[in-house]
Amino acid sequence: MNEASFPPNENSTMPCLMEAWQLHHSPLSHWLKSQTHDDSLAQDILHEVFIRAMAQRKAFCKIKNSKAWLFKVASNLLIDHTRKQKNLSLVEIQETDEAHSPVADKDVVDKLAHCLPRVLTELSSPDSDIIQACDINGMSQCEYASRHGLTLSATKSRLLRARIKLKQQLSISCQVKLDENHNVCCYTPRK
C-alpha cells in the first residue's frame, strides 16, 4: 500500500499513520507471510491492520510505539483467523463423524453405561471418587482440588491416571472392543 492509493484528504489528516505505515508495513507483511505461509491471507490481514489503524484517526498519533501497536493488531487478527479455522474444522469433523456414525454405536454405548457403575466399584477409592466427582457429576477440577487440598496440576494428573485405569478396567471387565476409529463398537457384559 502506498500513499498514492488514498485520497489526499486522508493522507493530510493522518500524517503520523502514513509515516508509521511507510516504516512498518514491509516488515509486518514479511512477518505475516512467515506466520501464515499464505500470501493472500497475509495481505488480507495486512489490509485489516491498516483499516484498524485508520479507524483510530488522530488517536493513532498518540500511540507511543506504533510498530508494536501494528504488530499486536496483526497478531490478534492472526489469532482470530486461526481460531475461526479451528472451529470450522471441528464443526466439519463433528458433522462427518455424525454422518458416518451408525445409530447402533449409540445403543452400544448406552448399554455399556450399565457396566460403568460396577467397574467404578472395582477401581481404588481415590480413582473412583475423582471420576465420579469430575466426569460424572460435573465438578470442576479446580473445585475438586480445593476440596481435597490438592494443586490443580496434581488433580489433573490424578484424573488422567484414573481415566486410564477406568479404560483398562472396562476393557477387562466388560470386554470392550474398539473399531478402527477407536469408537466403542461392542462389549460383552460380565454376568
Side-chain angles (χ1 to χ4, degrees):
M1 289 188 184
N2 58 31
E3 274 187 282
S5 64
F6 301 103
N9 62 347
E10 286 294 328
N11 293 338
S12 61
T13 60
M14 293 187 290
C16 59
L17 169 60
M18 297 314 297
E19 182 180 328
W21 192 252
Q22 287 299 322
L23 286 172
H24 307 303
H25 87 279
S26 183
L28 185 57
S29 176
H30 291 297
W31 180 78
L32 282 167
K33 287 176 185 175
S34 73
Q35 295 299 307
T36 63
H37 305 290
D38 180 342
D39 289 347
S40 297
L41 176 59
Q43 285 302 310
D44 288 347
I45 293 173
L46 190 64
H47 293 157
E48 184 62 30
V49 170
F50 186 78
I51 289 168
R52 296 209 178 171
M54 285 187 63
Q56 294 293 312
R57 300 187 186 268
K58 292 185 180 185
F60 186 86
C61 297
K62 295 177 184 174
I63 295 171
K64 290 183 181 175
N65 187 341
S66 59
K67 179 180 181 180
W69 188 91
L70 292 167
F71 273 83
K72 183 66 176 173
V73 171
S75 177
N76 289 342
L77 288 167
L78 185 58
I79 290 168
D80 288 347
H81 173 78
T82 303
R83 284 183 180 151
K84 286 177 187 172
Q85 290 304 110
K86 283 183 181 177
N87 287 340
L88 287 174
S89 296
L90 285 174
V91 168
E92 290 170 1
I93 289 169
Q94 287 172 346
E95 288 173 354
T96 302
D97 286 349
E98 288 171 6
H100 293 95
S101 173
V103 176
D105 288 352
K106 292 180 182 177
D107 294 338
V108 171
V109 174
D110 288 344
K111 288 178 184 172
L112 182 59
H114 297 294
C115 188
L116 184 62
R118 188 188 75 243
V119 172
L120 282 171
T121 64
E122 295 171 358
L123 294 177
S124 68
S125 182
D127 290 339
S128 178
D129 180 60
I130 195 167
I131 288 174
Q132 286 184 33
C134 295
D135 290 342
I136 297 174
N137 297 328
M139 181 185 292
S140 73
Q141 293 175 15
C142 260
E143 185 179 348
Y144 186 89
S146 67
R147 285 189 181 185
H148 292 84
L150 300 169
T151 65
L152 182 58
S153 178
T155 300
K156 288 180 178 195
S157 295
R158 186 175 288 185
L159 182 57
L160 179 62
R161 283 191 306 271
R163 287 173 178 164
I164 291 169
K165 290 176 186 175
L166 176 65
K167 182 180 176 185
Q168 290 169 343
Q169 195 62 35
L170 279 169
S171 294
I172 294 166
S173 295
C174 301
Q175 298 178 10
V176 174
K177 293 191 170 74
L178 303 178
D179 63 15
E180 65 276 358
N181 296 322
H182 301 287
N183 296 318
V184 175
C185 66
C186 50
Y187 80 102
T188 305
R190 190 172 64 190
K191 295 180 181 171

